[in-house]
Amino acid sequence: MQPIRGVRDILPNEIILWQYIYDLANEVFTLSNYQEIRTPILENTELFKRSIGNYTDIVNKEMYNFIDQGNRDITLRPEGTSSIVRAFISNKLYLQQRIHKLWYLGPMFRYERPQKGRQRQFHQLGIECIGSQNPIADVEVIRLAIQLLKSLKLNHYILEINSIGNFQERSQYKSKLKDYLNKYKNDLDKDSQNRLNNNTLRILDSKNIKTQEILKKAPKLTHFLQIESIEHFNEICNHLDYIDIQYTINDKLVRGLDYYNYTAFEIKTKESNNQNTICGGGRYDQLIQQLGGPNTPSVGWAIGIERLILLVKDILQINNNNIIIYIAIQDIQISYKVWDIVKIIEKYKINFEIDLSINHLNKQLKKANQLCAKICFILGKKEIINNYITVKWLETRIQQEISINHLPKYLQYLKTHFKT
Ligand code: ATP
Ligand code: MG
């Protein structure tokens, strides 16, 4: 039996990194009063069509959808923002307060060609700052992404930002760009030709050299921006300068989702592969209203955890093995006593493992060594009858006999010794 294409198991030796990232995110975001939200994986297909946009790659080619037994058109969420906006509206969160600061982590699904850093089930960690038009909100969310990367000891990344203006500015630009590109239609790459009518801006993203060459003389989005868009963008840049966050302005950065306006940004690693974008985000001032909620300007981003892990797994050497006490049992017939001992160890919160084999003591000790346990509690017939434990320190091989009555005191000592 094999898993289906594009999905993978996350095994225990990797989980430790996932837990580490989750805890870190929780810590970093909680400090700024961002609260976790969990939304369902299943949503009505209509939600994503209306939010992400019918002509985008995600909705057009990448959605996992099906008709359920009740004849509903359902989609496994391809991203987090749409669901959070839906939750914001259906739970009427807007009645509680004006500004909501939220974060999430969970699986997303896109039918894509699987390759390194690109899966069909992948995970996104994201934040959404809902309800503020202030450029400081954009800066706060960008800063939190950088804070997170910094606390993961990641240094080699580039923040790219751009302003994609408001809907009007963009649609004026789109039609000018379309006019220009139509003149070179036959020289564009196939993908760009397909995007020409309905997804024109994404052509700016094309990696094709010939298309890039044609784009050099194309009209520029910046020239279509009006004072409000420009001021919003400049304000963000000034703040980023002030807090020493380095960035590059990329006037071709448009992002693949329809709902963005004003700010668009990505964080890329300096590696030269295709999957070098780890974070994507931007402002989405119209989306909530467009989906039936009140006018609520918002901004957010999402990081792909799998891509992040590819980058940090060698930097963060997190030890998976933290067994302190290995409990070897010599005689199953009289092994009930082990539960008394476990109860005391648990009270002191020291990690332990009970040997579940029926092997000889030597083999059990070998196993303890393999697992890098620090000490072994040996429970043999002699020990149980006389109410003590033989303690063997695995590194020094020193052996001690500890009476069960003295066990709490001994565990207290172990706790300080191993700083657990
Ligand atoms: P790409 O251009 O690489 O397809 P995207 O623009 O589609 O990315 P977004 O929708 O902005 O990606 O999602 C934000 C982040 O989620 C990406 O920067 C990436 O880290 C991650 N991501 C997106 N799609 C996948 C995928 N199929 N597998 C793994 N991670 C992904
Ligand atoms: Mg994509």
Side-chain angles (χ1 to χ4, degrees):
M1 294 292 280
Q2 292 295 322
I4 61 171
R5 188 165 145 79
V7 310
R8 53 185 288 270
D9 303 304
I10 304 164
L11 299 175
N13 64 352
E14 220 189 324
I15 279 292
I16 194 102
L17 262 174
W18 287 75
Q19 289 170 337
Y20 183 78
I21 291 173
Y22 177 90
D23 290 344
L24 201 66
N26 191 14
E27 194 181 305
V28 171
F29 301 153
T30 303
L31 264 177
S32 293
N33 201 26
Y34 278 70
Q35 294 179 319
E36 188 182 354
I37 180 169
R38 298 186 189 185
T39 64
I41 286 168
L42 305 178
E43 295 279 357
N44 286 310
T45 300
E46 191 58 21
L47 170 67
F48 303 113
K49 287 191 175 165
R50 278 174 59 186
S51 55
I52 301 168
N54 265 321
Y55 296 110
T56 58
D57 284 353
I58 296 180
V59 170
N60 235 340
K61 311 186 218 163
E62 299 172 359
M63 297 243 279
Y64 266 98
N65 47 355
F66 64 94
I67 304 292
D68 77 357
Q69 280 93 326
N71 224 14
R72 298 173 196 91
D73 192 347
I74 307 286
T75 291
L76 272 65
R77 61 177 184 200
E79 57 107 41
T81 306
S82 308
S83 305
I84 289 178
V85 165
R86 198 270 310 130
F88 175 80
I89 298 169
S90 54
N91 293 288
K92 297 197 173 62
L93 294 186
Y94 47 84
L95 296 179
Q96 294 172 6
Q97 68 220 33
R98 174 82 191 135
I99 294 178
H100 291 260
K101 300 186 176 189
L102 305 169
W103 73 274
Y104 63 91
L105 191 161
M108 307 292 161
F109 304 82
R110 297 185 193 176
Y111 196 83
E112 304 199 65
R113 195 170 67 77
Q115 49 202 295
K116 193 173 178 201
R118 191 176 295 284
Q119 296 171 203
R120 290 183 175 173
Q121 176 177 336
F122 61 101
H123 295 73
Q124 283 184 338
L125 166 69
I127 71 176
E128 311 291 351
C129 178
I130 297 177
S132 172
Q133 214 167 3
N134 196 333
I136 295 181
D138 308 47
V139 178
E140 178 174 75
V141 298
I142 293 174
R143 183 175 172 276
L144 284 172
I146 303 287
Q147 284 292 95
L148 186 77
L149 299 184
K150 270 193 192 155
S151 53
L152 285 165
K153 301 188 176 66
L154 207 71
N155 296 315
H156 299 282
Y157 52 80
I158 308 161
L159 166 67
E160 292 189 350
I161 56 173
N162 191 21
S163 176
I164 56 171
N166 62 27
F167 181 75
Q168 267 170 348
E169 291 157 352
R170 216 164 43 248
S171 64
Q172 276 171 5
Y173 172 63
K174 217 187 281 184
S175 82
K176 284 282 169 347
L177 182 65
K178 206 189 290 181
D179 291 346
Y180 170 83
L181 290 174
N182 255 320
K183 289 189 277 187
Y184 304 92
K185 190 171 174 184
N186 296 333
D187 295 326
L188 295 173
D189 60 281
K190 263 264 149 333
D191 260 353
S192 298
Q193 284 179 7
N194 291 335
R195 285 174 165 161
L196 198 51
N197 275 328
N198 294 318
N199 202 2
T200 328
L201 292 189
R202 276 306 291 278
I203 298 177
L204 298 176
D205 252 2
S206 169
K207 305 247 173 1
N208 182 280
I209 295 176
K210 211 162 169 195
T211 304
Q212 279 298 336
E213 199 53 42
I214 295 168
L215 284 168
K216 276 189 182 151
K217 293 212 171 95
K220 294 260 178 287
L221 177 54
T222 0
H223 298 147
F224 290 75
L225 301 184
Q226 312 267 315
I227 186 83
E228 257 182 58
S229 295
I230 294 170
E231 275 179 356
H232 189 95
F233 188 62
N234 287 344
E235 203 60 48
I236 294 170
C237 294
N238 292 340
H239 276 262
L240 291 177
D241 289 337
Y242 184 79
I243 55 179
D244 257 344
I245 290 182
Q246 260 120 59
Y247 57 89
T248 315
I249 297 174
N250 175 357
D251 65 0
K252 293 210 179 84
L253 180 77
V254 287
R255 313 271 307 119
L257 302 88
D258 274 2
Y259 53 62
Y260 287 120
N261 68 292
Y262 282 7
T263 324
F265 58 90
E266 287 186 348
I267 299 175
K268 295 178 176 166
T269 60
K270 291 182 178 162
E271 285 175 37
S272 60
N273 63 27
N274 282 336
Q275 275 66 250
N276 62 356
T277 307
I278 48 172
C279 175
R283 182 164 271 287
Y284 52 97
D285 291 341
Q286 310 307 323
L287 181 61
I288 294 178
Q289 200 167 30
Q290 196 185 307
L291 292 176
N295 175 14
T296 315
S298 305
V299 56
W301 52 252
I303 287 181
I305 304 270
E306 282 82 358
R307 289 187 198 176
L308 190 63
I309 283 183
L310 283 174
L311 295 169
V312 299
K313 70 171 191 275
D314 296 329
I315 309 174
L316 301 173
Q317 276 162 357
I318 300 169
N319 190 0
N320 197 11
N321 219 328
N322 48 9
I323 302 171
I324 305 280
I325 303 170
Y326 195 78
I327 306 177
I329 305 173
Q330 241 183 334
D331 193 332
I332 313 177
Q333 305 301 314
I334 48 164
S335 57
Y336 305 103
K337 264 269 157 35
V338 72
W339 303 121
D340 301 338
I341 289 158
V342 160
K343 202 167 149 191
I344 306 173
I345 302 177
E346 277 177 341
K347 202 166 139 198
Y348 283 86
K349 296 195 166 49
I350 299 176
N351 293 355
F352 65 92
E353 177 165 339
I354 304 175
D355 187 293
L356 300 178
S357 73
I358 41 169
N359 291 334
H360 284 303
L361 183 62
N362 274 349
K363 271 203 164 164
Q364 294 190 40
L365 283 170
K366 214 169 158 188
K367 186 74 197 170
N369 271 313
Q370 268 171 14
L371 292 171
C372 299
K374 304 291 181 212
I375 54 183
C376 193
F377 279 11
I378 300 167
L379 289 181
K381 206 179 227 160
K382 214 164 46 165
E383 281 85 355
I384 287 180
I385 292 168
N386 297 309
N387 215 29
Y388 72 93
I389 304 167
T390 300
V391 177
K392 182 165 185 159
W393 289 70
L394 291 165
E395 206 182 301
T396 57
R397 301 203 177 154
I398 288 172
Q399 233 167 269
Q400 297 167 297
E401 287 173 3
I402 305 294
S403 130
I404 304 266
N405 296 332
H406 291 146
L407 187 58
K409 225 176 175 173
Y410 189 69
L411 290 175
Q412 188 59 53
Y413 158 73
L414 290 183
K415 223 176 147 58
T416 29
H417 185 83
F418 293 113
K419 297 188 183 71
T420 69

